Amino acid sequence: MKSKYTTIIDIAKQLNISKSTVSRALTGHPNVKEHTRKAVMELASTMEYQRNSLALGFSKHTTHTVGIMVPEFMSTYFPSVIVGVQDVMQAAGYNVVICQQNESYETEVANMKLLLSYRVDGIIVSHTKETRNFDHFTLAQRRGVPLVFFNRVPDELNVPNVIVNDYEAAFQAVEHLISIGRRRIAHLAGPDALVNSRLRRQGYIDALKKHDIPYNPDLVLSYDLTTEKVKIYMKHFLDLGTPPDALFAINDPTAIAAMEVVKAKGLRIPHDIAIVGFSNDLSAGLVYPGLTTVAQPTGEIGRMAAEMLLQELNAKVKNDYSIKKAPTTQLPTKLIIRESTVAKTN
Amino acid sequence: MKSKYTTIIDIAKQLNISKSTVSRALTGHPNVKEHTRKAVMELASTMEYQRNSLALGFSKHTTHTVGIMVPEFMSTYFPSVIVGVQDVMQAAGYNVVICQQNESYETEVANMKLLLSYRVDGIIVSHTKETRNFDHFTLAQRRGVPLVFFNRVPDELNVPNVIVNDYEAAFQAVEHLISIGRRRIAHLAGPDALVNSRLRRQGYIDALKKHDIPYNPDLVLSYDLTTEKVKIYMKHFLDLGTPPDALFAINDPTAIAAMEVVKAKGLRIPHDIAIVGFSNDLSAGLVYPGLTTVAQPTGEIGRMAAEMLLQELNAKVKNDYSIKKAPTTQLPTKLIIRESTVAKTN
DNA sequence: ATTTTTCATGGGAACGGTCCCAATATTTTG
DNA sequence: CAAAATATTGGGACCGTTCCCATGAAAAAT
């Protein structure tokens, strides 16, 4: 079946010249007569010629397209990182293809294979909460496709990445809770498999230690980041003989779901329990009371990840991270204090 | 430069058979000896063969990939539509490539050309608020690439689409405001260029008319969907000699931004002014007070759009919408009543 | 055992573009 | 004006896969 797309051969035939000349005219090669170039350009325009990127990528082994893989995008975190990535990549002449994993490991592997089968030049990744096996990532590396990770970075892999100081940020967040007089601080942690989840928990533990508050394992629960579990675990915390007077949540959706439970139980925030989230999701500023949280520079994270990927792509000699240390960029966070930790009228 | 990817020719050479046979073995063609097939499959696995979709799409004129173009994804509306699309498309064996326009017409045109240059088989679209020219859409149609629109559907084009009854939903929302005793109902409308914006406004007008409330043009402002403008226009409404006692906002982000203004001015919601949004964004249930809004079945919208696109793709004879009416699917909305229109304790 | 049928494999064109090299046209130079 | 240099064009290989057609091998039928 003949395609409806115009090809350079169609143009060449109409003008009675060779497809080589048409190709040269269209790609701006210097050695084409002005007269010829003009004719080609005009005909291409009227015939609505649309270059075939498949053919091009196929024959050139480079597609000028990069992929970005995110675990989910129902919070504003990943979308705004993506916008940052697109900014930089489009300015550099690259196309960006977005893949969304729905927090499913299988989808992640499938999407990786999809991107590789389309021969993207590089990939920016934040893996799912289920990911324990990293073969699909090393596969990309073996294929010479550079990866840059952000947010969720596997520590089993030596890869370029963009992160924030999760440990330090968590430490500060918990210190803030201590500074407003809280002592029984609970922590709803993420899955242990996520490095940033472990780091945030360690920040929590060390902040308590610094202020001579004994670490109480009963006040820490790791969970799978599903809203239902937040409800169960939060109820559990509130039903303790002596319930916590503060909560440090692994992220904003967790904190917000926890707030619902607290409010449903008729307790007051922050009077009875102060709450801190993480990432400064758009909704953190909208909930009542406003949620204190750790702001991450999401757009900047995306832009940096893109810059680092460009560096990999433009490297004359491919970086071999089996022998040298992969670069890492750490961006600053900022604790945003809202009413969930400091009552407006006090 | 030799690519690092394994090809079927590499496999063929190793096994001393022809690439045709390898191809047949890999694609599950019946006429291959079991013994041969097994050998090929094994070697393909150990050599980590990854089919080259560029070559395939290039030679077959079909990529089994569809695109989805959304104007933005900072609200939860478009992401959850996308998830619905992915559900259906992946089950049908299609890949989904996501493009995000940042509400920019230029980006929309660029993304359309990108998708066409990658020869996607079909595209699901919701256009930007800036889009006035639809040539890039008709171009796709001329190329035989079926389009299905949702949410923002240009009425200049006869295309398959998935919508909700914006008129009726708006009508009900405004009737609800009237039912709780409001008479001075303001409307922050979207750009006139958006069909659903016009429909919602008409619903607003007709609901007033039905209840014998004179239509007051001073209480209606069309705006460009930027947060800054909401602030200006909302302040304007509140500064009127007799300020409105209710607001019907074109969408939830508008409503929420308006709530901020109202609260900043020290007015009470819903006591002084009741507010209704549109789309039931995740944040509508989080803000204080909870925002009454029109829920759209976002996942279902995505799934339906995908189903309709599959129908186009599987049609033995391509549907020619220059001669016949394009199908449309209308899905139900539901008014979700929260505290922004009905005080909890009354 | 020979012919026919079926099964399994190989060979090569096609897809659309780029790019190298050769061929021709044009201009410059001696 | 011929020779050399340069500008412009054409020809064809190449990229990886599928698929059609031809060929060879094995199995079935006579």
Side-chain angles (χ1 to χ4, degrees), chain B residues 230-280:
Chain B
V230 178
K231 296 215 170 102
I232 296 170
Y233 290 160
M234 199 58 206
K235 277 206 189 91
H236 165 77
F237 280 146
L238 297 180
D239 289 343
L240 287 175
T242 327
D245 56 12
L247 170 74
F248 170 49
I250 176 77
N251 59 22
D252 288 348
T254 302
I256 290 170
M259 285 172 71
E260 300 287 328
V261 177
V262 171
K263 288 193 275 187
K265 219 179 154 75
L267 296 173
R268 287 158 301 167
I269 304 168
H271 184 273
D272 298 313
I273 182 164
I275 298 185
V276 174
F278 209 106
S279 291
N280 197 25

Side-chain angles (χ1 to χ4, degrees), chain A residues 18 27 39 50-51 55 88 110 124 129-130 133 169 177 193 196 199 207 299:
Chain A
S18 76
T27 53
Q50 188 69 59
R51 70 115 66 75
V88 172
I124 292 173
K129 67 185 181 189
E130 294 182 343
N133 179 314
L177 287 170
N196 58 6
L199 288 170

Side-chain angles (χ1 to χ4, degrees), chain A residues 301-317:
Chain A
I301 290 172
R303 284 189 290 274
M304 269 310 303
E307 300 280 8
M308 289 178 81
L309 186 57
L310 284 174
Q311 208 120 53
E312 301 287 322
L313 292 170
N314 297 332
K316 278 163 288 295
V317 183

Side-chain angles (χ1 to χ4, degrees), chain A residues 44-334:
Chain A
S45 170
T46 56
M47 292 180 79
E48 295 185 308
Y49 170 76
Q50 188 69 59
R51 70 115 66 75
N52 185 332
S53 296
L54 294 176
L56 211 162
F58 165 55
S59 96
K60 298 291 296 296
H61 290 294
T62 171
T63 52
H64 264 75
T65 301
V66 300
I68 177 163
M69 302 177 62
V70 299
E72 50 95 10
F73 52 26
M74 293 308 282
S75 65
T76 57
Y77 180 86
F78 289 109
S80 58
V81 171
I82 292 173
V83 171
V85 169
Q86 284 179 321
D87 269 3
V88 172
M89 278 303 175
Q90 281 172 6
Y94 280 85
N95 307 126
V96 178
V97 167
I98 304 161
C99 289
Q100 191 267 127
Q101 270 71 248
N102 252 325
E103 290 281 18
S104 148
Y105 167 70
E106 277 75 32
T107 306
E108 182 171 281
V109 173
N111 280 340
M112 174 56 85
K113 298 214 163 146
L114 170 65
L115 291 177
L116 290 182
S117 87
Y118 274 98
R119 302 298 190 259
V120 296
D121 293 347
I123 307 176
I124 292 173
V125 188
S126 191
H127 66 76
T128 78
K129 67 185 181 189
E130 294 182 343
T131 308
R132 307 276 183 282
N133 179 314
F134 304 100
D135 289 352
H136 51 306
F137 296 135
T138 57
L139 172 65
Q141 293 178 312
R142 285 195 295 282
R143 291 287 174 265
V145 177
L147 303 179
V148 173
F149 281 76
F150 71 98
N151 186 277
R152 299 193 187 163
V153 183
D155 53 5
E156 286 88 344
L157 257 44
N158 179 35
V159 281
N161 61 73
V162 181
I163 49 168
V164 297
N165 193 331
D166 286 285
Y167 171 83
E168 190 60 32
F171 191 99
Q172 283 172 16
V174 174
E175 265 202 319
H176 166 66
L177 287 170
I178 296 170
S179 80
I180 59 165
R182 307 300 161 127
R183 287 295 177 274
R184 269 184 79 74
I185 302 172
H187 178 39
L188 262 178
D192 273 354
L194 297 180
V195 175
N196 58 6
S197 171
R198 296 205 297 272
L199 288 170
R200 289 175 200 177
R201 185 202 314 204
Q202 197 56 49
Y204 159 85
I205 292 174
D206 290 357
L208 295 182
K209 186 181 292 173
K210 179 179 167 196
H211 293 272
D212 296 320
I213 301 175
Y215 168 59
N216 180 352
D218 293 348
L219 291 179
V220 177
L221 285 170
S222 286
Y223 89 114
D224 61 359
L225 304 179
T226 62
T227 310
E228 310 86 66
K229 288 284 174 55
V230 178
K231 296 213 171 107
I232 296 170
Y233 290 161
M234 199 58 204
K235 277 204 190 96
H236 166 78
F237 280 148
L238 298 180
D239 288 343
L240 286 175
T242 326
D245 56 13
L247 171 73
F248 170 49
I250 177 76
N251 60 22
D252 287 348
T254 302
I256 290 169
M259 285 172 71
E260 300 288 328
V261 177
V262 171
K263 288 193 275 187
K265 218 178 155 73
L267 296 173
R268 287 158 302 168
I269 304 168
H271 185 273
D272 298 313
I273 182 164
I275 298 185
V276 175
F278 208 106
S279 291
N280 197 25
D281 193 271
L282 187 63
S283 50
L286 302 175
V287 287
Y288 178 77
L291 177 64
T292 294
T293 184
V294 175
Q296 295 198 46
T298 47
E300 188 58 21
I301 290 172
R303 284 189 290 274
M304 269 310 303
E307 300 280 8
M308 289 178 81
L309 186 57
L310 284 174
Q311 208 120 53
E312 301 287 322
L313 292 170
N314 297 332
K316 278 163 288 295
V317 183
K318 275 270 160 64
N319 295 308
D320 181 355
Y321 295 124
S322 61
I323 44 174
K324 75 172 181 186
K325 179 94 187 64
T328 182
T329 305
Q330 186 172 292
L331 294 171
T333 57
K334 185 159 180 273

Side-chain angles (χ1 to χ4, degrees), chain A residues 1 3-6 47-55 57-58 61 63 65 73-74 76 79-80 82-83 86 90 95-98 100 102 107 111 113-114 116-119 139 142-145 256 260 282-283 285-288, chain B residues 1 3-6 47-55 57-58 61 63 65 73-74 76 79-80 82-83 86 90 95-98 100 102 107 111 113-114 116-119 139 142-145 256 260 282-283 285-288:
Chain A
M1 188 193 63
S3 159
K4 286 192 187 175
Y5 287 90
T6 307
M47 292 180 79
E48 295 185 308
Y49 170 76
Q50 188 69 59
R51 70 115 66 75
N52 185 332
S53 296
L54 294 176
F58 165 55
H61 290 294
T63 52
T65 301
F73 52 26
M74 293 308 282
T76 57
S80 58
I82 292 173
V83 171
Q86 284 179 321
Q90 281 172 6
N95 307 126
V96 178
V97 167
I98 304 161
Q100 191 267 127
N102 252 325
T107 306
N111 280 340
K113 298 214 163 146
L114 170 65
L116 290 182
S117 87
Y118 274 98
R119 302 298 190 259
L139 172 65
R142 285 195 295 282
R143 291 287 174 265
V145 177
I256 290 169
E260 300 288 328
L282 187 63
S283 50
L286 302 175
V287 287
Y288 178 77
Chain B
M1 187 193 57
S3 159
K4 286 191 189 175
Y5 287 89
T6 306
M47 291 179 79
E48 295 184 309
Y49 170 76
Q50 188 70 58
R51 71 116 65 76
N52 185 333
S53 296
L54 294 175
F58 165 54
H61 289 295
T63 51
T65 300
F73 51 27
M74 294 308 281
T76 57
S80 57
I82 293 174
V83 171
Q86 283 179 322
Q90 281 171 7
N95 308 125
V96 178
V97 167
I98 304 161
Q100 191 265 127
N102 252 325
T107 306
N111 280 339
K113 298 216 162 145
L114 170 64
L116 290 182
S117 86
Y118 275 98
R119 301 297 191 258
L139 172 64
R142 284 194 294 281
R143 290 288 174 265
V145 178
I256 290 170
E260 300 287 328
L282 187 63
S283 49
L286 302 175
V287 287
Y288 179 77

